[in-house]
Amino acid sequence: MLKQCRAIMERELFYMWRDKSLRHILLIGPLLGMLLFAGVYSYQRLGDISTGVVDLDKSSASRQVVTELKNTQNLQVVAYFDSFAELEESIKRGEVIVGVVIPDNYGQDVALQRQTKVAVMIDGMNMAYATNASSAVLTITRTLGAQVGIQTLIAQGIQANQAQEAYQSIAFPEEAWFNPTLNYAYFMVLGLALNVWQQCLTLASCMTVIGENGLRSWLQIKVSGISSFKLFFCKSLVHIGVFMLAVLPLYFLAFVVFKLPLACGWPGLLLFTFLFTITLHSLGTMMSSLGRNAVNASRYGMIIALPAFVISGYTWPLEAMPHWLQSAAWVLPQTWFFQGVNYLTFKNPGWGFMSHYYLALGLMAVLFYSVAALRLILSDVSPKGGLM
C-alpha cells in the first residue's frame, strides 16, 4: 500500500512539474504579486498631497493659514490661484487634490471676533487621497481654532497662560494601536499577495479530479487496482504540500525582508495557513468533481476565487456591506482566512478567539471533500475525462 501511495505521489509531482504553465502559476505568480504590491505600497503612507490656495484677503491672518498648510505633514502647497474658477479647473485636471479658498476680510473678521469661513475643496475621486487630506485639514482647523480662541481670551483681558490652559483643559490624544504609523504596506501588501496565491491554489485544485482525463493513464490506474479514494487522497497530499511550499517564499519576503508585523509567530501562522490550504483544496476538489470538463471546473473555481477576496472584509468592512452579502461571505473559506490572518498578524488574540476560525475551516473541508467523494461514488470517471 505504501509503495502504491508513493508511486502515485511521485507521479503527481512529475505531472505538476512537467506542466510549465501550472509550475509558473504556483511558483512565480504569487512571488511576482508580492514584489509588485510591495513596490506599490513602498511609501507606506500618503504624504505631500498637492494643495492649491486662493488667498483673497492677503492679510497677516491669511498668511498664517497658508503657513499652517505648508507645515502640515501630509499636505504640500504647490500652486497659488487668483480666483476660485482657476482652482476649480486645476482640481478637474488633477493638478491639485486639495483646494483652500481664504475669503475677503478674513483677517478683519478674525480680529473683530466674527465668524468666518475658509472653504476647503477635496477631490473625492481617489478615496485614499481624500481620506488623508480630510484628516490633515481637520488638524489645521483645530490648530487655527485654538489659536483664534486663545487670542480672543487674551483680548478680553485674560492672562496668556490662563487662556492657553482654557483651551487645553480637555485633550483628546490620538493613539493608533497595532499599526501606530498607519502604514498602508502593513495592511495591504500581504493580503493582496495572499489573494494571488489563493487564486492560483484554487485553479490548481480544480484539476484534482477532472485532471485524470487521459485514456492511457486512467486505464493504467484501473489495471493496477488502485482505488479512487487512494488515488485522490495521495494526489491531495501532494497538492497541499506544494501549495504550502508556494506560500513560504511569500511569508519570508513579507515578514523577514519587508518586516511586516507578525504578532502570532511563525507556528500559529503556518498552522492556520495549512488548515486554509486544506479547506481551499477541498473546495477546488468539489468543483473538479462537479465539472464536466477541465474548462468548466476551472470556471467554477474562478467564479468563487475572484470575488471572494473582495467580499472577505479585508479591504472593506463586512459590517458596511448588505446583510445578505455578509451572510454569503461567511460561507466562503477565504473570508475566514483573510479575517483570521489579519487578527493573527496584527493582534494575536489567542486560541479562545481564533478557535471558531479553525473550526469553521475544518467543517468546510469535511463538507467539501464529502460532496466530492459522494460525487465520485455516484459517478464513474470516464476515460475521456467527464463524469458519467
Side-chain angles (χ1 to χ4, degrees):
M1 178 179 177
L2 292 178
K3 290 183 177 181
Q4 284 185 337
C5 291
R6 179 180 176 181
I8 295 172
M9 296 172 71
E10 290 177 350
R11 167 183 175 270
E12 189 63 21
L13 277 172
F14 172 76
Y15 284 157
M16 292 183 72
W17 184 257
R18 188 181 63 176
D19 189 336
K20 291 184 178 180
S21 60
L22 180 60
R23 185 172 74 226
H24 292 162
I25 287 174
L26 292 177
L27 299 181
I28 300 177
L31 284 177
L32 288 179
M34 170 62 77
L35 295 174
L36 172 63
F37 299 131
V40 169
Y41 293 96
S42 59
Y43 285 107
Q44 302 179 356
R45 58 180 300 173
L46 293 178
D48 298 332
I49 301 174
S50 57
T51 304
V53 176
V54 179
D55 186 357
L56 301 177
D57 189 47
K58 297 183 175 17
S59 63
S60 59
S62 66
R63 287 193 292 272
Q64 183 181 5
V65 175
V66 177
T67 300
E68 292 293 337
L69 289 170
K70 290 181 177 179
N71 293 336
T72 302
Q73 181 180 5
N74 290 346
L75 300 182
Q76 182 180 19
V77 178
V78 297
Y80 296 89
F81 303 98
D82 296 324
S83 66
F84 176 82
E86 292 180 4
L87 173 62
E88 182 182 20
E89 188 63 26
S90 181
I91 294 177
K92 285 182 178 180
R93 293 195 299 265
E95 296 171 349
V96 296
I97 305 298
V98 179
V100 178
V101 179
I102 305 174
D104 292 326
N105 301 321
Y106 170 80
Q108 182 179 352
D109 291 339
V110 170
L112 296 176
Q113 304 173 23
R114 292 196 297 237
Q115 185 179 21
T116 185
K117 294 182 179 180
V118 176
V120 179
M121 285 69 64
I122 300 175
D123 187 352
M125 186 174 68
N126 188 311
M127 290 303 298
Y129 270 126
T131 302
N132 283 267
S134 297
S135 177
V137 171
L138 179 60
T139 300
I140 295 174
T141 58
R142 288 175 178 174
T143 302
L144 290 175
Q147 291 175 356
V148 172
I150 291 173
Q151 292 172 2
T152 300
L153 293 178
I154 293 174
Q156 294 175 355
I158 299 177
Q159 295 294 326
N161 60 341
Q162 293 177 340
Q164 188 171 3
E165 289 177 358
Y167 267 85
Q168 294 179 349
S169 59
I170 300 178
F172 294 91
E174 297 179 358
E175 183 179 358
W177 288 9
F178 309 113
N179 188 5
T181 60
L182 300 179
N183 190 329
Y184 278 96
Y186 286 175
F187 181 70
M188 295 298 296
V189 171
L190 180 62
L192 293 174
L194 287 175
N195 178 43
V196 175
W197 170 74
Q198 69 91 12
Q199 291 186 28
C200 296
L201 190 159
T202 303
L203 181 63
S205 299
C206 287
M207 296 296 102
T208 303
V209 176
I210 204 66
E212 294 294 340
N213 60 354
L215 175 61
R216 185 177 304 173
S217 62
W218 183 248
L219 289 178
Q220 290 174 349
I221 293 172
K222 284 294 187 180
V223 171
S224 67
I226 298 174
S227 66
S228 297
F229 173 81
K230 184 186 297 183
L231 170 66
F232 294 118
F233 176 78
C234 294
K235 282 168 60 73
S236 298
L237 290 180
V238 172
H239 290 179
I240 292 169
V242 170
F243 298 156
M244 284 299 297
L245 289 176
V247 81
L248 291 180
L250 294 185
Y251 284 159
F252 177 81
L253 288 175
F255 303 116
V256 178
V257 178
F258 300 129
K259 306 297 183 182
L260 301 187
L262 180 59
C264 68
W266 285 94
L269 178 66
L270 292 178
L271 177 61
F272 189 66
T273 304
F274 178 67
L275 181 56
F276 172 69
T277 302
I278 294 174
T279 307
L280 200 56
H281 182 269
S282 70
L283 177 62
T285 301
M286 183 179 71
M287 296 296 101
S288 183
S289 68
L290 297 176
R292 296 186 61 86
N293 51 56
V295 174
N296 282 342
S298 299
R299 288 172 178 171
Y300 296 158
M302 287 296 99
I303 287 174
I304 295 176
L306 289 175
F309 179 71
V310 177
I311 65 173
S312 68
Y314 194 91
T315 58
W316 186 258
L318 275 172
E319 296 76 12
M321 299 180 190
H323 291 293
W324 65 269
L325 191 56
Q326 295 181 36
S327 301
W330 287 113
V331 175
L332 301 175
Q334 288 91 337
T335 301
W336 293 94
F337 174 68
F338 285 110
Q339 292 281 338
V341 163
N342 214 15
Y343 278 111
L344 287 174
T345 54
F346 281 102
K347 301 179 179 180
N348 189 23
W351 173 254
F353 179 85
M354 292 298 301
S355 58
H356 65 285
Y357 285 83
Y358 286 90
L359 179 61
L361 290 176
L363 291 176
M364 287 182 183
V366 172
L367 174 62
F368 296 151
Y369 277 134
S370 298
V371 172
L374 182 61
R375 176 63 171 162
L376 287 174
I377 292 174
L378 297 178
S379 308
D380 292 327
V381 180
S382 72
K384 296 183 180 180
L387 291 175
M388 301 299 289

